[in-house]
Amino acid sequence: MVTSIQITALDGIVNVNSLFTFAVFVGLAWNPTSPSDTLITDPACTAGRGVGEALISFHVYSFSCFLFSSLVALALKQAIRINNPFHLPAEFLGQVNKNLLRIGMLISGIGSAFGCVFLMLALVNVVQLKLGTLSCGSSHTYAAVVPLVIFVPVAILIYSSLVLYAFTR
């Protein structure tokens, strides 16, 4: 049977993915490699072409993961609606295969988590393009990257824990 926890988890996945997908589109539309749009004063700290290529790649990977995750979550919600055309309470939804629902939720959550990881990596590359490479040791670069690589994995861990909680219910 489907519970409100599972439906709420699916809604959360779709909402979060929508926000991040918008952020990825904005990132792809912006020209991060413009030489006039940087704060780097030492030419030796300027990021190379590979960082720019990695930035675009990580944006595309992130978009792909978020889109995959959202489509899986929306498909699951649609399956629930098809099996409940009269909007009966959750206790009457015995036709939805709970194992398939759980697996779909898990796959959708994994897609969102990977999308967040790729988006974080893209942002690290943006910092390197704008403030200098990590190998130069700029305090501004590290001040931007360190919180990013601490807070995002912690948030992914919390998110994954809640998705796994919904998976078990």
Side-chain angles (χ1 to χ4, degrees):
M1 291 190 309
V2 178
T3 67
S4 62
I5 292 172
Q6 291 152 330
I7 293 171
T8 302
L10 291 171
D11 285 336
I13 288 171
V14 172
N15 291 337
V16 167
N17 288 348
S18 298
L19 292 173
F20 286 142
T21 301
F22 176 73
V24 170
F25 268 126
V26 170
L28 286 172
W30 168 61
N31 181 11
T33 58
S34 171
S36 64
D37 191 21
T38 184
L39 299 173
I40 302 169
T41 55
D42 183 6
C45 291
T46 303
R49 181 177 173 95
V51 174
E53 290 171 352
L55 170 68
I56 299 301
S57 296
F58 287 138
H59 270 103
V60 172
Y61 300 154
S62 177
F63 175 75
S64 299
C65 289
F66 289 133
L67 183 61
F68 169 78
S69 175
S70 292
L71 289 175
V72 169
L74 288 171
L76 292 172
K77 285 184 67 175
Q78 189 62 33
I80 293 168
R81 287 187 187 120
I82 288 170
N83 287 317
N84 186 13
F86 303 110
H87 304 291
L88 298 172
E91 55 268 8
F92 295 109
L93 292 177
Q95 297 178 12
V96 176
N97 186 330
K98 192 169 185 177
N99 291 330
L100 288 178
L101 179 64
R102 285 179 173 177
I103 290 169
M105 289 176 62
L106 186 62
I107 289 170
S108 185
I110 289 169
S112 289
F114 274 102
C116 289
V117 169
F118 288 129
L119 185 57
M120 177 188 70
L121 293 172
L123 290 173
V124 168
N125 286 326
V126 168
V127 170
Q128 290 189 91
L129 286 167
K130 298 302 174 187
L131 299 177
T133 59
L134 291 168
S135 62
C136 278
S138 167
S139 62
H140 297 291
T141 302
Y142 284 116
V145 170
V146 169
L148 186 66
V149 297
I150 291 173
F151 292 135
V152 171
V154 168
I156 291 171
L157 182 64
I158 293 168
Y159 173 76
S160 299
S161 299
L162 291 174
V163 169
L164 287 174
Y165 174 76
F167 175 75
T168 61
R169 299 293 173 242

